[in-house]
Amino acid sequence: MVPRNALIAIVSFIALGFGMQMLRADDAPATEKKPASCTPAIKDRNRHEQFLKDKEELLKKGPIQVIFVGDSITDGWRGGGHATWEKSYGKYNALNLGIGGDRTEHVLWRMQNGELDGTDPKAVVMMIGTNNMGSSAEDIIAGVTCDVNVIHAKLPSAKILLLGIFPRGQSANDGARAKIKTINESLAKLDGKDNVKYLDIGAKFLEADGTLPKSIMPDALHPNEKGYEIWAEATQPTLDELVK
C-alpha cells in the first residue's frame, strides 16, 4: 500500500502538471491578430458625416446605381475628373465615397458605419491600397480583400468592379511598381468570387517603355483631367455590362 503522504504528493504533482497545461492553453492566442490594413480605423469623421448626407440627397433623385469607393484618386473625380464624371456616370446617379489619404482600414470602417446602408446599387467600383504601400504586399492584399468582403456582406446583390492599384512613380523601375504588380496579381484571383469583377487598367496610363507621363499624372500618382478620361474610357464597357 502506498503511504498516505506519498499518495498526496503524487496527486498534487499530477494536478500541478494538468494546471500548467491549462495555463499554457489559456495563454495561447485564440486567433491570429489581424493586420492593421484589415482592422477598421476612423480617420475623417467630418467627411464621413457629409457622405451620409450626400447619399440621402442623391436618393431623393432616384436609386443610386453605382457607388465609387476609394482614396484621393477616387476623390479626384470631384476635381480634375468632374466633367468626365458627369458625362460618364451622371446617368447612374452615382455616389462618390472617395477620401484623400484613406487606406484600406479607413474604407473598412466607413463601409461598416453607414455609408452603404439604405442603398441598393447595381455596381460598386473600388480602387484602394496605394496609401498602404508602407505595409507588406501580403497586408495590403488582406486589407483590400477585407474591404471587398464587407461590401459584399452589405450589398450581396451588387457587382463589385475591383480595379487593380494604379501605377505610381514616373519610371518603370520605380520601387513601387514591382510591389503593385505582386499585389494586383493576387487581387486578380478574386475575380469571379462573391460578385467580383477584377480589372487592371494600369497599362492604359503608361508609355510603351513603362514611363508614367506627366501629361496624365503630373505627380506620378494622381490623374489629371486626361487621366480621368482614360479611366472612364477603359472601364466604361465593363461597368455598363455590370449595371445591366
Side-chain angles (χ1 to χ4, degrees):
M1 180 178 294
V2 180
R4 184 171 182 275
N5 289 344
L7 182 60
I8 292 173
I10 292 171
V11 172
S12 298
F13 180 80
I14 294 172
L16 178 61
F18 181 74
M20 290 301 292
Q21 288 181 339
M22 292 296 291
L23 180 60
R24 284 195 293 272
D26 289 342
D27 285 346
T31 57
E32 188 176 347
K33 186 177 179 182
K34 292 181 180 179
S37 61
C38 205
T39 302
I42 185 171
K43 180 176 69 67
D44 195 331
R45 184 178 290 276
N46 289 338
R47 291 291 301 279
H48 167 66
E49 296 290 344
Q50 183 60 52
F51 285 169
L52 298 181
K53 295 177 182 177
D54 293 345
K55 177 183 65 176
E56 295 307 317
E57 287 302 311
L58 276 178
L59 286 171
K60 292 177 182 178
K61 300 177 182 178
I64 294 171
Q65 297 187 62
V66 176
I67 296 176
F68 281 71
V69 176
D71 47 41
S72 57
I73 298 174
T74 298
D75 198 2
W77 282 112
R78 300 181 176 91
H82 178 71
T84 303
W85 173 274
E86 292 300 323
K87 180 176 64 177
S88 300
Y89 311 125
K91 61 185 178 182
Y92 297 138
N93 197 32
L95 173 63
N96 185 339
L97 298 178
I99 293 182
D102 262 21
R103 300 192 296 270
T104 57
E105 58 266 36
H106 303 130
V107 165
L108 190 61
W109 185 91
R110 295 197 283 116
M111 299 306 102
Q112 289 180 342
N113 285 272
E115 292 188 11
L116 300 178
D117 294 359
T119 68
D120 186 23
K122 294 181 178 180
V124 177
V125 182
M126 183 170 73
M127 200 274 288
I128 193 68
T130 197
N131 291 319
N132 292 79
M133 290 300 288
S135 301
S136 68
E138 291 76 17
D139 283 358
I140 298 171
I141 294 162
V144 176
T145 302
C146 283
D147 289 345
V148 168
N149 290 341
V150 75
I151 291 171
H152 180 65
K154 288 276 188 179
L155 304 170
S157 65
K159 303 295 193 301
I160 300 173
L161 179 54
L162 176 62
L163 300 179
I165 297 174
F166 289 175
R168 58 186 291 171
Q170 188 172 9
S171 169
N173 297 321
D174 187 278
R177 295 288 190 92
K179 190 172 186 178
I180 290 173
K181 182 175 184 291
T182 296
I183 295 166
N184 286 346
E185 286 174 349
S186 287
L187 295 181
K189 297 175 184 178
L190 295 175
D191 187 68
K193 300 177 181 178
D194 295 333
N195 284 343
V196 174
K197 172 63 180 176
Y198 174 78
L199 189 63
D200 185 354
I201 64 169
K204 300 289 186 179
F205 300 109
L206 302 175
E207 300 284 8
D209 63 356
T211 301
L212 186 58
K214 291 185 177 182
S215 60
I216 292 174
M217 294 187 188
D219 64 353
L221 178 60
H222 298 91
N224 59 13
E225 184 175 357
K226 183 178 179 180
Y228 283 104
E229 290 174 355
I230 292 171
W231 179 350
E233 183 178 352
T235 58
Q236 196 73 51
T238 302
L239 186 56
D240 284 342
E241 186 64 27
L242 295 179
V243 174
K244 281 185 180 178

